[in-house]
Amino acid sequence: MIETKAVAEKFASIYGSGASLFVSPGRINLIGEHIDYNGGFVFPGAVDKGIVAAVRPNGTDRVRAFALDLGEEAVFRLDEADKPVQAWACYLFGVCREMQKRGGEVGGFDTVFAGDVPLGAGMSSSAALESVYAFALNELFGCGIDGFELARIGQATEHNYCGVKCGIMDQFASIFGKKGHLMRLDCRSMEFEYFPFDPEGYRLVLLDSRVKHELVGSPYNDRRVSCERVAAALGQELLRGATMERLDAIRERISPEDYKRARYVIGEERRVLEVCDALQRGDYETVGACMFETHRGMSEDYEVSCEELDFLVAVARECGVTGSRIMGGGFGGCTINLVRDELCDAFLAEAQKRFDEKYGHEPWVYDVVISDGARRL
Ligand code: GLA
């Protein structure tokens, strides 16, 4: 539960009255991982965990922001020279600057925010943070920016102020989410479709390993660069639409590592479409089989999994779970699991017990509740 009341009260106590409240969610992704920046299809949905912000323009050129979960305040002006030092405040600063770059007349404001999207779990707490401010400032300063551009503002914030060359999926899901629906987004054309998602007889649960591997350099950006190199070798702008035949034809010209990365992407592109068809038939067994395949690809070819997540997926398989895989950017975080109702409790108990025995703590369990996107409260 997001502490909406606590956010409002904190705002009143430090900045006074007159704040408006906004919320923007984290996301899950059923299938289509590391596909957004390759221009393919992804299948996310917004969740019932998010970031709540109380915001009030203050008529100055300064932002005063208080992060309730950290008990920390940042104060900055909206020019490049005054980029804040706190990492969390850079998200706010980046959003304001990206809005201004697009002609949005964003001025100073006071704000308090808090959230319940677990950090580092692969559920896009950062996109929730960017989106809640993009959405709120757009309304409060009357910028008239549309939803797609608000998502791009969050993405550009990651690129230009936070060092992550992410795709558009997370910010899109956080803005456009709809209760009870997943979204199939074509990341090249930005066309999308809502899919009612109510897998009768199954539950969708996340197991949060609470593990985050801090890796040297930026392995996420490296994956993206690999894909770009292969696309260039194929004479394409994006990897989307590449085939194994064409990849094999250029195999000698690319590194073995890049070959594996592209092989994963080609397989994942196919799986997204397979999952869409299967969903329309209500065939969850096929959906689950694709999820296991995705995990194998992310672990062996894309190499964004880790021991703990591989372990959780192996336990899921042994327990007869329908589908399980690492979710999000990788290197820790959650598995997403499609589990038949009658199996769910036993599976969760077993996974928690065995993970605890091996790694010394239990993974946390989150039931996925597909919810609405950014909005005013
Ligand atoms: C992160 C990025 C997204 C996407 C996923 C992997 O969440 O922010 O753009 O690439 O990883 O699917």
Side-chain angles (χ1 to χ4, degrees):
M1 260 280 289
I2 313 173
E3 294 296 322
T4 306
K5 194 157 164 268
V7 170
E9 283 172 5
K10 187 71 187 175
F11 187 98
S13 78
I14 52 181
Y15 303 127
S17 60
S20 305
L21 281 165
F22 297 86
V23 64
S24 199
R27 60 108 189 87
I28 54 125
N29 184 29
L30 187 62
I31 196 113
E33 219 65 271
H34 288 273
I35 291 296
D36 53 0
Y37 54 80
N38 284 301
F41 289 93
V42 294
F43 221 129
V47 294
D48 62 341
K49 302 182 189 309
I51 304 253
V52 168
V55 191
R56 186 198 57 200
N58 61 18
T60 74
D61 64 348
R62 284 190 325 157
V63 174
R64 296 188 296 178
F66 190 83
L68 188 56
D69 300 321
L70 302 171
E72 220 175 89
E73 189 183 54
V75 179
F76 50 89
R77 278 177 303 113
L78 292 177
D79 66 59
E80 287 302 316
D82 207 24
K83 184 179 166 196
V85 287
Q86 297 95 325
W88 62 266
C90 288
Y91 290 99
L92 275 67
F93 178 76
V95 167
C96 297
R97 292 292 300 131
E98 291 297 333
M99 294 185 84
Q100 290 174 330
K101 287 179 201 171
R102 287 160 178 78
E105 293 188 3
V106 173
F109 58 92
D110 299 329
T111 182
V112 174
F113 74 91
D116 63 353
V117 194
L119 300 180
M123 296 170 73
S124 292
S125 50
S126 60
L129 185 56
E130 291 143 14
S131 302
V132 78
Y133 283 102
F135 188 91
L137 299 175
N138 190 43
E139 290 229 334
L140 295 174
F141 290 101
C143 302
I145 298 173
D146 72 23
F148 291 108
E149 203 54 31
L150 292 181
R152 286 193 195 97
I153 283 167
Q155 183 192 22
T157 298
E158 298 273 357
H159 287 205
N160 301 330
Y161 297 91
C162 310
V164 180
K165 300 286 180 196
C166 65
I168 194 69
M169 171 171 76
D170 304 350
Q171 293 79 8
F172 165 83
S174 191
I175 297 279
F176 284 92
K178 180 168 161 181
K179 195 172 171 184
H181 291 72
L182 297 180
M183 295 161 283
R184 187 182 66 179
L185 170 69
D186 177 336
C187 297
R188 189 169 59 189
S189 69
M190 292 304 282
E191 279 167 14
F192 74 102
E193 218 181 308
Y194 286 110
F195 271 70
F197 185 71
D198 180 19
E200 212 182 305
Y202 294 83
R203 267 169 70 188
L204 200 55
V205 289
L206 305 181
L207 274 177
D208 183 354
S209 65
R210 294 152 66 199
V211 168
K212 185 77 201 160
H213 292 283
E214 289 304 335
L215 299 172
V216 185
S218 175
Y220 180 92
N221 294 350
D222 293 347
R223 297 302 180 281
R224 183 171 185 149
V225 170
S226 275
C227 294
E228 286 167 358
R229 268 197 302 261
V230 178
L234 286 168
Q236 313 183 170
E237 196 191 331
L238 297 161
L239 209 42
R240 172 172 175 172
T243 58
M244 279 311 293
E245 290 70 36
R246 291 181 55 225
L247 181 65
D248 283 331
I250 59 152
R251 190 166 187 167
E252 302 306 318
R253 290 168 40 211
I254 58 178
S255 71
E257 192 178 90
D258 285 358
Y259 177 83
K260 282 201 293 183
R261 306 293 188 246
R263 180 166 65 190
Y264 162 76
V265 170
I266 292 170
E268 185 72 349
E269 245 200 78
R270 176 186 49 74
R271 282 188 290 274
V272 180
L273 300 178
E274 220 177 294
V275 162
C276 284
D277 286 349
L279 279 181
Q280 270 155 346
R281 299 191 302 270
D283 173 4
Y284 295 105
E285 296 302 313
T286 298
V287 174
C290 287
M291 292 168 73
F292 277 122
E293 270 185 57
T294 294
H295 186 78
R296 198 201 51 74
M298 287 178 80
S299 180
E300 293 170 18
D301 280 350
Y302 221 60
E303 295 180 283
V304 293
S305 185
C306 58
E307 189 197 312
E308 295 88 342
L309 275 293
D310 289 346
F311 180 76
L312 283 175
V313 171
V315 172
R317 204 187 265 285
E318 283 170 35
C319 290
V321 165
T322 304
S324 177
R325 67 175 191 83
I326 184 172
M327 190 182 76
F331 313 107
C334 286
T335 58
I336 178 167
N337 304 273
L338 183 64
V339 198
R340 284 196 310 278
D341 279 340
E342 66 273 15
L343 204 72
C344 206
D345 292 344
F347 159 59
L348 294 175
E350 179 73 5
Q352 287 188 304
K353 178 170 137 288
R354 289 182 50 190
F355 193 89
D356 186 21
E357 280 164 9
K358 200 165 160 81
Y359 298 109
H361 65 266
E362 287 188 352
W364 284 327
V365 177
Y366 314 122
D367 260 307
V368 173
V369 181
I370 308 286
S371 306
D372 285 326
R375 60 199 182 275
R376 192 193 271 260
L377 291 172

